[in-house]
């Protein structure tokens, strides 16, 4: 016979082997990439920590090296002499002296305020935006100095609109008196552009924010005078009242947090602005002396490069190992194949005829036995289907009774309180009658009458839910159906402290349906939502009615654990449930969908954007039956 090569491994195991090798490669590259990413993030955080510490120290040093100068100038005799009688003296000598000190100290401006806060001398006397004649008594640095203390402040200049840090010191003409108060204030302004220019050379973005989250300093110019997060109304009013930033709009910077690694480290990005499209490692450090926080944003480009490099190296190494194993295994397989082939050829011719006869006889017996088993299995399956159909009908009925049982249990809980109150009022009435206090007894009996009416309303709810539905469809208002369903769960909602959000249209929406069956569906959906939120610390149930031109949507949304994607295609199957044993039969959603389809609508489920589950009932919309202007055909739809 001609030589035919036979493979010991069938096609499917080989396919599985190839898939296993590919899966191993992907797993190896993924794990290596994750490890490299974590190590790169640790290294990047260490670099960011060092740079942030140096930048904070540089900023503190730049500001604090000038804090002595206002106090030094306030003690000069020329300043005190001019402040004692400014109207009778020429301010130019003092202006020039302040200008010389400004140039020597390399600061922005130096100026002198009198006791009313008006500027009477300044180093910028010769500029169009001079401070002379301006009143700054509203500035905190003036108020601190007039209280006898050295002051500080940061904000926008009212004249120059430049961002600066201000130092102030009180000027005393006579500080020996017991009730002496400062007669003026010496102020020094330091610009922050020099520090920001040094930051621009770093491979990172640096930000300085105040206690309101306003970005006061930034290495990127477009981020200055923006906010880390949108300001609340109270924060914006406080910032406006302080006049710290003048009339700046202070828009949000667009910063969004993607992942928080610890209390100080985050992975962030920008939804808009000059830094949009790239992610950063953000690290913050408090500056307690200034009530600031300094932030550094390091690009994640080195982390991504490290991930790709590690994944490529791991994939290459894995490929070399897999190639070596494959070559060795192939050689061993070929050698064993040749040995087995020679042995099989020697025995095949001698055993072929006997094996064929035995095989035909065995297959004949197997076919007869198989036919008998198939006949028995067909009869057994028919009996099982009949039994299953009967069992399914019983379970559907049991599910309905279970819902009625849950409602009855809740209403029984609500009846206990009125019964206890009726007993107490009755005993009081008997005591009042015995004491001949008829008016008091009558008041107690009136309370008993009110409680019995309340109990009648509660029992009417259970009686309404248990009534049979009709076959004829009528015009149904959607809002009362929701209200009825909520009343059935009122006690459970109060006990669980569930927040209810209702979104109703301005005009009532009408659909053609059976009110009993529609209420049954809403009761089932709301009951499932409450059960799903039983372990949620702040449960929230959202009910909405969305009326469109041809249909009405009824939404039931919870913030529970939600429905996994793999379960969305099966939750409407009969007897399929994700609840614990004994919590349900898995028929509620199946029955609800069948009811809505019988009403000509649709029931869908999906995951909500904020978590939880979203169930939507869609029914055809009809015109208001009480509206005289509605089309006549709408009543026959």
């Amino acid at each position: 016979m001609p030589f035919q090569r036979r493979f010991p491994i069938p096609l499917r195991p080989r396919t599985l082997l190839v898939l296993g090798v590919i899966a191993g490669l992907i797993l190896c590259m993924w794990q290596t990439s994750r490890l490299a990413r974590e190590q790169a993030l640790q290294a990047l955080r260490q670099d960011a920590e060092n740079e942030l510490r140096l930048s904070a120290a540089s900023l503190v040093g730049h500001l604090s090296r000038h804090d002595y100068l206002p106090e030094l100038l306030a003690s000069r005799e020329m300043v005190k002499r001019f402040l004692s009688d400014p109207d009778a003296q020429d301010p130019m000598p003092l202006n020039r002296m302040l200008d010389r000190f400004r140039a020597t100290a390399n600061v922005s401006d130096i100026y002198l305020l009198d006791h009313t806060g008006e500027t009477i001398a300044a180093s910028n006397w010769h500029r169009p935006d001079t401070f002379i004649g301006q009143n700054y008594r509203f500035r905190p640095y003036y108020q601190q100095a007039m209280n006898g203390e050295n002051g500080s402040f940061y904000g926008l200049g009212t004249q120059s609109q430049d961002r600066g840090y201000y130092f102030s010191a009180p000027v005393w003409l006579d500080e020996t008196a017991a009730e002496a108060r400062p007669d003026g204030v010496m102020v020094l302004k330091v610009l922050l552009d020099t520090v920001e220019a040094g930051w621009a050379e770093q491979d990172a973005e640096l930000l300085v924010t105040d206690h309101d989250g306003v970005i006061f300093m930034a290495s990127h110019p477009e981020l200055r005078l923006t906010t880390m997060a949108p300001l609340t109304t109270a924060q914006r009013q406080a910032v406006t009242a302080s006049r710290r930033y003048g009339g700046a709009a202070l828009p949000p910077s667009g910063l969004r947090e993607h992942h928080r690694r610890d209390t100080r480290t985050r992975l962030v990005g920008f939804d808009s602005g000059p830094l949009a499209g790239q992610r950063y490692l953000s690290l913050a450090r408090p500056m307690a002396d200034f009530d600031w926080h300094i932030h550094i944003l390091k690009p994640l480009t080195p982390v991504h490069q490290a991930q790709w490099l590690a994944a490529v190296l791991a994939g290459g190494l894995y490929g070399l190992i897999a190639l070596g194993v494959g070559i060795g295994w192939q050689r061993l397989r070929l050698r064993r194949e040749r040995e087995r082939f020679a042995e099989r050829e020697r025995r095949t011719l001698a055993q072929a005829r006997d094996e064929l006869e035995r095989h035909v006889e065995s297959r004949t017996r197997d076919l007869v036995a198989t036919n008998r088993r198939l006949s028995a299995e067909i009869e057994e399956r028919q009996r099982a289907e009949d039994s299953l159909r009967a069992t399914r009908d019983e379970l559907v009925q049991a599910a309905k009774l279970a819902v009625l049982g849950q409602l009855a249990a809740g209403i029984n809980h609500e009846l206990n309180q009125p019964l206890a109150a009726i007993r107490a009022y009755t005993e009081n009435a008997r005591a009042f009658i015995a004491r001949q206090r008829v008016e008091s007894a009558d008041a107690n009996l009136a309370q008993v009458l009110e409680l019995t009416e309340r109990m009648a309303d509660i029992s009417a709810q259970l009686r309404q839910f248990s009534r049979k539905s009709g076959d004829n469809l009528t015009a149904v208002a959607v809002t009362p159906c929701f209200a009825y369903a909520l009343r059935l769960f009122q006690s459970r909602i109060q006990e669980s402290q569930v927040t209810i959000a209702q979104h109703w249209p301005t005009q009532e929406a009408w659909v053609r349906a059976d009110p009993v069956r529609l209420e049954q569906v809403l009761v089932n959906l709301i009951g499932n939502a409450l059960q799903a939120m039983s372990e949620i610390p702040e449960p929230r149930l959202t009910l909405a009615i969305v009326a469109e031109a041809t249909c009405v949507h009824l939404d039931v949304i919870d913030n529970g654990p939600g429905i996994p994607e793999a379960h969305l295609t099966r939750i409407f199957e009969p007897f399929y449930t994700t609840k614990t044993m004994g919590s349900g039969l898995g028929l509620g959603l199946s029955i609800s969908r069948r009811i809505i389809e019988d009403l000509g609508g649709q029931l869908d489920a999906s995951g909500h954007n904020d978590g939880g589950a979203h169930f939507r009932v869609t029914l055809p919309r009809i015109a208001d039956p009480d509206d005289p202007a509605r089309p006549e055909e709408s009543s026959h739809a």
Side-chain angles (χ1 to χ4, degrees):
M1 61 181 297
F3 174 78
Q4 293 181 353
R5 184 176 178 181
R6 301 178 61 186
F7 295 94
I9 301 179
L11 180 59
R12 179 166 295 181
R14 282 191 174 184
T15 304
L16 294 177
L17 179 61
V18 172
L19 293 177
V21 172
I22 295 175
L25 174 62
I26 295 174
L27 181 62
C28 176
M29 296 178 67
W30 176 61
Q31 290 291 349
T32 305
S33 174
R34 287 189 59 189
L35 180 61
R37 180 178 186 275
E38 189 63 29
Q39 292 177 347
L41 283 175
Q42 291 290 347
L44 188 64
R45 187 192 185 284
Q46 186 65 33
D47 293 342
E49 181 72 35
N50 295 333
E51 293 181 24
L52 188 62
R53 183 171 60 253
L54 293 176
S55 299
S58 174
L59 177 59
V60 172
H62 177 76
L63 296 177
S64 61
R65 68 181 179 180
H66 301 295
D67 58 357
Y68 73 94
L69 191 54
E71 187 173 3
L72 176 64
L73 293 174
S75 64
R76 292 186 66 86
E77 186 62 30
M78 179 184 291
V79 175
K80 293 183 178 181
R81 185 169 60 250
F82 180 78
L83 186 61
S84 64
D85 190 6
D87 296 334
Q89 301 181 58
D90 183 10
M92 291 308 299
L94 181 57
N95 290 336
R96 293 190 183 95
M97 186 197 75
L98 295 179
D99 192 29
R100 289 195 301 271
F101 272 95
R102 178 201 61 77
T104 303
N106 192 22
V107 296
S108 175
D109 299 289
I110 304 175
Y111 50 100
L112 176 64
L113 310 179
D114 62 11
H115 68 280
T116 65
E118 184 175 345
T119 307
I120 58 177
S123 61
N124 61 358
W125 87 94
H126 53 286
R127 297 209 313 251
D129 58 348
T130 180
F131 299 163
I132 295 178
Q134 300 296 323
N135 193 293
Y136 296 105
R137 66 179 302 123
F138 65 90
R139 289 295 199 188
Y141 62 73
Y142 166 80
Q143 299 166 7
Q144 294 169 356
M146 290 303 293
N147 289 330
E149 303 173 352
N150 291 340
S152 62
F153 178 75
Y154 64 95
L156 289 181
T158 57
Q159 290 294 107
S160 62
Q161 294 299 308
D162 292 332
R163 295 167 298 117
Y165 198 86
Y166 300 81
F167 295 98
S168 66
V171 181
W172 304 82
L173 297 181
D174 182 13
E175 54 184 330
T176 59
E179 307 239 346
R181 284 182 53 82
D183 296 277
V185 178
M186 182 64 68
V187 185
L188 178 142
K189 179 180 179 181
V190 181
L191 294 182
L192 305 174
D193 298 341
T194 305
V195 179
E196 291 176 329
W199 289 351
E201 299 175 358
Q202 296 182 222
D203 184 20
E205 300 294 338
L206 285 163
L207 314 172
V208 176
T209 60
D210 63 7
H211 60 279
D212 291 316
V214 177
I215 302 176
F216 181 65
M217 298 177 62
S219 57
H220 202 291
E222 295 186 28
L223 292 178
R224 297 166 190 166
L225 297 184
T226 61
T227 59
M228 299 290 283
L231 295 178
T232 63
T233 303
Q235 287 177 321
R236 188 169 292 277
Q237 291 175 351
V239 170
T240 303
S242 70
R243 301 171 65 179
R244 184 184 301 275
Y245 303 113
L250 304 179
S253 62
L255 181 71
R256 182 161 61 93
E257 178 180 321
H258 295 285
H259 176 66
R260 180 176 290 273
R261 293 178 60 84
D262 54 49
T263 56
R264 296 176 54 212
T265 311
R266 303 179 298 166
L267 300 182
V268 301
F270 287 84
D271 293 332
S272 60
L275 303 183
Q278 187 173 2
R279 291 195 177 184
Y280 299 86
L281 183 141
S282 172
L283 190 65
R285 183 185 183 92
M287 301 178 66
D289 294 339
F290 300 92
D291 195 18
W292 291 347
H293 278 79
I294 183 169
H295 307 257
I296 187 170
L297 304 179
K298 296 284 289 183
L300 294 181
T301 303
V303 177
H304 298 155
Q305 293 175 348
Q307 283 185 268
W308 280 108
L309 180 60
V312 171
L313 292 177
L317 181 59
Y318 182 91
L320 291 176
I321 295 175
L323 180 61
V325 172
I327 293 174
W329 174 80
Q330 182 70 8
R331 295 185 62 182
L332 178 61
R333 185 188 66 82
L334 289 175
R335 188 179 66 181
R336 292 181 176 177
E337 176 66 18
R338 288 193 296 268
E339 295 174 354
R340 286 195 297 267
F341 179 76
E343 181 66 23
R344 284 197 302 271
E345 288 296 322
R346 286 193 297 266
R347 291 183 299 181
T348 299
L349 294 176
Q351 297 177 353
R353 183 176 300 171
D354 296 339
E355 183 66 24
L356 180 59
E357 292 178 356
R358 290 194 300 270
H359 183 69
V360 170
E361 183 180 356
S362 175
R363 290 295 295 170
T364 302
R365 289 195 301 270
D366 291 342
L367 287 173
V368 173
T370 301
N371 288 334
R372 293 174 180 173
R373 286 197 303 271
L374 285 176
S375 299
E377 289 178 0
I378 290 172
E379 295 177 358
E380 181 65 25
R381 178 163 296 182
Q382 291 176 347
R383 290 193 297 271
E385 288 179 354
D386 295 338
S387 177
L388 178 61
R389 190 176 297 107
T391 303
R392 180 178 298 174
D393 295 338
E394 293 176 359
L395 287 176
V396 170
Q397 184 64 24
K400 294 180 180 179
L401 294 177
V403 173
L404 287 175
Q406 293 176 359
L407 295 177
I411 293 176
N412 180 55
H413 176 72
E414 290 193 6
L415 290 176
N416 285 336
Q417 295 181 350
L419 286 173
I422 288 174
R423 180 177 181 180
Y425 281 126
T426 305
E427 292 176 353
N428 291 340
R430 294 182 62 187
F432 286 139
I433 292 174
R435 299 175 185 178
Q436 296 184 356
R437 294 173 58 182
V438 179
E439 293 181 355
S440 299
D442 182 69
N444 277 263
L445 293 175
Q447 292 292 333
V448 170
L449 179 60
E450 181 178 349
L451 289 173
T452 55
E453 291 177 352
R454 178 183 172 188
M455 293 172 63
D457 291 339
I458 294 173
S459 61
Q461 296 177 12
L462 182 60
R463 184 167 58 256
Q464 180 182 357
F465 183 74
S466 61
R467 73 184 189 274
K468 294 183 179 180
S469 61
D471 295 331
N472 296 327
L473 303 183
T474 61
V476 178
V478 177
T479 305
C481 294
F482 265 124
Y484 167 75
L486 285 176
R487 286 197 303 271
L488 291 180
F489 293 102
Q490 182 177 5
S491 175
R492 185 171 174 183
I493 291 173
Q494 292 176 352
E495 291 179 359
S496 303
Q497 297 182 350
V498 179
T499 302
I500 305 296
Q502 300 176 354
H503 303 289
W504 307 144
T506 55
Q507 295 183 350
E508 182 62 69
W510 292 79
V511 297
R512 182 166 298 280
D514 175 20
V516 177
R517 288 190 285 174
L518 181 56
E519 290 168 358
Q520 179 182 353
V521 171
L522 295 179
V523 167
N524 189 20
L525 295 180
I526 294 175
N528 287 348
L530 295 176
Q531 186 172 5
M533 297 186 295
S534 59
E535 303 297 330
I536 301 300
E538 295 181 0
R540 178 180 178 87
L541 179 63
T542 302
L543 306 177
I545 301 173
V546 182
E548 296 183 353
T550 59
C551 62
V552 178
H553 302 293
L554 288 71
D555 294 332
V556 178
I557 306 171
D558 62 71
N559 65 338
I563 304 173
E565 189 71 22
H567 295 173
L568 284 175
T569 58
R570 300 193 59 192
I571 58 174
F572 292 106
E573 296 179 4
F575 307 104
Y576 182 81
T577 180
T578 58
K579 300 177 183 178
T580 58
M581 184 68 68
S583 299
L585 301 174
L587 292 173
L589 290 177
S590 177
I591 294 173
S592 297
R593 169 170 275 191
R594 180 60 61 85
I595 290 174
I596 296 302
E597 289 177 350
D598 291 342
L599 297 178
Q602 184 176 352
L603 174 59
D604 300 306
S606 63
H608 196 256
N609 295 334
D610 299 332
H614 180 185
F615 285 89
R616 165 164 282 192
V617 176
T618 302
L619 291 171
R621 183 179 182 181
I622 64 172
D624 186 351
D626 298 328
D627 186 359
R630 69 187 182 96
E632 295 183 0
E633 60 270 14
S634 63
S635 62
H636 304 287

